[in-house]
């Protein structure tokens, strides 16, 4: 990508043409000279989106959040975005997506739950943690995550994989979903023992019969996925 970025071209037009109102704000004070030689791919200063709302680091620390905070709100640099090494998201985009769980925890902990519901913030706020501290937002390990929260993680993943109402993906079959979850178990993303109970109890079948489309319900040999 860096080699391609070094290739130059001759621009003979105003680079502000066709920009939306918000984009023009970032470049409107720049002088326009044409023709001009430019690199094929560039990371420009006007492609940096700075934070309007600063993150309260003291509050962040109080809640025990350990997600790495990117310097910028967004970075639209061409070379920067095309150089993502894994997946399709930049560090800034991943943080914005993951930030939803921070909002979840903060909102739930403000609610005066009754005694029988007092652990709801912990259950809801831990379903993106892993067994080895690679999750978010607190980078907890298995011993720091309650059993109900670990169960919630398995349920959340299974529901997300089989859901038919997601605009970004097709609903997966039972066999596809459980195979993917077995990889997550092998990577210590979910609790191994609880995943085995999830399979051997047959609860995945009960859920499928009630909530999945007929074409999603295929045969699953759970012995292939039990360690």
């Amino acid at each position: 990508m860096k080699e391609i970025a070094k290739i130059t071209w001759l621009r003979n037009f105003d680079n502000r043409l066709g920009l939306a109102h918000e984009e023009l704000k970032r470049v409107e004070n720049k002088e326009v000279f044409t023709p001009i030689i430019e690199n094929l791919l560039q990371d420009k200063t006007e492609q940096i989106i700075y934070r309007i709302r600063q993150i309260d680091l003291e509050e962040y620390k109080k809640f025990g959040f350990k997600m790495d905070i990117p310097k910028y709100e967004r970075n639209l640099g061409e070379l920067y975005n095309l150089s993502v090494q894994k997946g399709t998201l930049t560090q800034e985009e991943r943080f914005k997506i993951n930030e939803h769980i921070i909002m979840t925890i903060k909102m739930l902990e403000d609610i005066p739950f009754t005694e029988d519901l007092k652990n709801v913030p912990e259950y809801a706020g831990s379903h993106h943690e892993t067994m080895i501290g690679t999750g978010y937002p607190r980078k907890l390990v298995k011993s720091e995550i309650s059993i109900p929260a670990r169960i919630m993680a398995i349920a959340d993943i299974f529901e997300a994989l089989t859901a038919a109402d997601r605009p970004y993906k097709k609903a997966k079959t039972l066999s596809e979903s459980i195979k993917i979850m077995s990889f997550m178990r092998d990577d210590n993303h979910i609790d191994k023992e609880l995943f085995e109970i999830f399979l051997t109890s047959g609860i995945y079948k009960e859920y499928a019969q009630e909530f999945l489309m007929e074409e999603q319900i295929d045969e699953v040999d759970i012995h292939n996925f039990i360690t």
Side-chain angles (χ1 to χ4, degrees):
M1 292 303 303
K2 291 179 180 179
E3 289 301 314
I4 293 173
K6 293 177 183 178
I7 300 172
T8 58
W9 67 293
L10 185 66
R11 175 164 60 83
N12 286 287
F13 57 88
D14 184 344
N15 65 347
R16 296 176 297 184
L17 293 174
L19 293 184
H21 175 68
E22 288 299 318
E23 294 173 308
L24 280 172
K25 286 182 180 179
R26 299 197 298 272
V27 299
E28 61 185 358
N29 294 324
K30 291 206 166 191
E31 294 184 63
V32 179
F33 299 101
T34 55
I36 187 171
I37 296 176
E38 291 190 344
N39 288 80
L40 190 60
L41 297 173
Q42 297 184 68
D43 290 335
K44 302 177 182 178
T45 55
E46 61 262 31
Q47 293 169 328
I48 298 294
I49 313 297
Y50 293 91
R51 294 186 184 281
I52 297 175
R53 176 185 60 84
Q54 294 300 316
I55 293 175
D56 187 336
L57 296 180
E58 285 300 315
E59 181 185 59
Y60 201 80
K61 183 178 180 180
K62 181 187 76 172
F63 279 98
F65 301 141
K66 295 179 180 177
M67 289 164 52
D68 295 330
I69 303 173
K71 183 178 180 180
Y72 307 116
E73 181 76 24
R74 295 171 67 198
N75 185 338
L76 307 179
E78 296 169 333
L79 185 59
Y80 178 74
N81 277 262
L82 289 170
S83 299
V84 173
Q85 294 186 9
K86 184 178 181 181
T88 59
L89 299 174
T90 64
Q91 181 186 10
E92 292 79 13
E93 290 167 334
R94 173 61 64 188
F95 180 80
K96 178 55 65 177
I97 291 173
N98 291 355
E99 199 176 22
H100 78 277
I101 200 68
I102 289 178
M103 300 298 109
T104 296
I105 292 171
K106 289 171 67 175
M107 287 190 292
L108 289 177
E109 292 203 356
D110 277 343
I111 298 175
F113 286 109
T114 54
E115 183 65 21
D116 58 327
L117 296 175
K118 66 180 181 180
N119 293 322
V120 165
E122 190 252 328
Y123 299 160
S126 301
H127 68 276
H128 287 300
E129 302 288 354
T130 70
M131 303 300 102
I132 53 175
T134 55
Y136 64 94
R138 293 176 169 135
K139 297 186 178 180
L140 304 177
V141 296
K142 181 176 179 178
S143 61
E144 298 172 302
I145 308 170
S146 69
I147 290 177
R150 286 180 246 162
I151 292 173
M152 179 69 76
I154 291 173
D156 177 71
I157 294 167
F158 182 68
E159 190 279 332
L161 290 170
T162 57
D165 61 351
R166 308 296 169 93
Y168 51 84
K169 70 167 190 67
K170 292 182 179 180
K172 296 191 180 299
T173 64
L174 277 180
S175 61
E176 289 172 329
S177 301
I178 290 173
K179 184 176 182 180
I180 291 170
M181 294 178 73
S182 73
F183 295 149
M184 299 180 76
R185 172 207 57 201
D186 295 343
D187 290 337
N188 287 304
H189 285 187
I190 57 177
D191 186 292
K192 296 179 179 181
E193 291 80 10
L194 290 176
F195 180 61
E196 188 162 318
I197 293 174
F198 172 72
L199 296 178
T200 56
S201 67
I203 191 67
Y204 71 94
K205 290 184 189 176
E206 295 179 34
Y207 180 90
Q209 291 298 328
E210 186 169 354
F211 297 107
L212 301 193
M213 297 181 292
E214 185 176 347
E215 57 266 31
Q216 288 180 263
I217 304 174
D218 56 359
E219 288 297 320
V220 180
D221 185 352
I222 64 170
H223 296 96
N224 294 329
F225 305 106
I226 294 176
T227 57

